[in-house]
């Protein structure tokens, strides 16, 4: 291969490599920073939305649990009162028998 052909092929290879590098080159630093900032803002918004949803759900569960606990407490109190009345009645009847 002669020298001219060698340098022609070499130059063609360099040009092809430079073109490929420009095509596949990463984006500029400014564009990357903007993209990172946008992604961070999106993540922040997602976290805020998730926090709000979880807070609403937790509030609903708390209120429901509180209502159920209050209902159970009133029923237990009612049953205890009935048991106390029944025990008093039984004690009176036993006292009358003795």
């Amino acid at each position: 291969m002669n020298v001219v052909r060698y340098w022609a092929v070499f130059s063609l290879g360099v040009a092809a490599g430079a073109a490929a590098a420009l095509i596949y080159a990463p984006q500029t630093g400014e564009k990357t920073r903007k993209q990172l900032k946008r992604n961070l803002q999106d993540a922040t918004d997602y976290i805020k939305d998730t926090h709000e949803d979880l807070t609403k759900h937790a509030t609903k569960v708390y209120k429901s649990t509180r209502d159920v606990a209050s209902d159970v407490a009133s029923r237990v109190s009612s049953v205890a009162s009935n048991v106390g009345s029944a025990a008093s009645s039984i004690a009176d009847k036993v006292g009358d028998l003795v």
Side-chain angles (χ1 to χ4, degrees):
M1 189 184 290
N2 64 22
V3 176
V4 174
R5 184 180 276 176
Y6 174 78
W7 285 108
V9 171
F10 179 77
S11 297
L12 184 62
V14 169
L22 288 174
I23 290 171
Y24 292 109
Q27 57 197 7
T28 63
E30 182 179 347
K31 188 173 181 181
T32 301
R33 285 188 295 274
K34 285 181 181 178
Q35 184 178 13
L36 288 173
K37 184 178 178 181
R38 187 174 36 248
N39 288 342
L40 183 59
Q41 288 173 343
D42 290 346
T44 302
D45 292 341
Y46 175 76
I47 290 171
K48 285 179 183 177
D49 291 343
T50 303
H51 174 263
E52 290 172 4
D53 291 344
L54 287 175
T55 301
K56 288 177 186 176
H57 184 67
T59 301
K60 286 180 184 178
V61 169
Y62 170 74
K63 288 179 180 178
S64 175
T65 303
R66 184 184 62 198
D67 293 343
V68 168
S70 175
D71 185 45
V72 168
S74 69
R75 288 183 184 193
V76 167
S77 176
S78 175
V79 168
S81 176
N82 290 341
V83 168
S85 296
S88 177
S89 175
I90 290 172
D92 289 343
K93 288 181 182 180
V94 168
D96 291 342
L97 290 176
V98 175

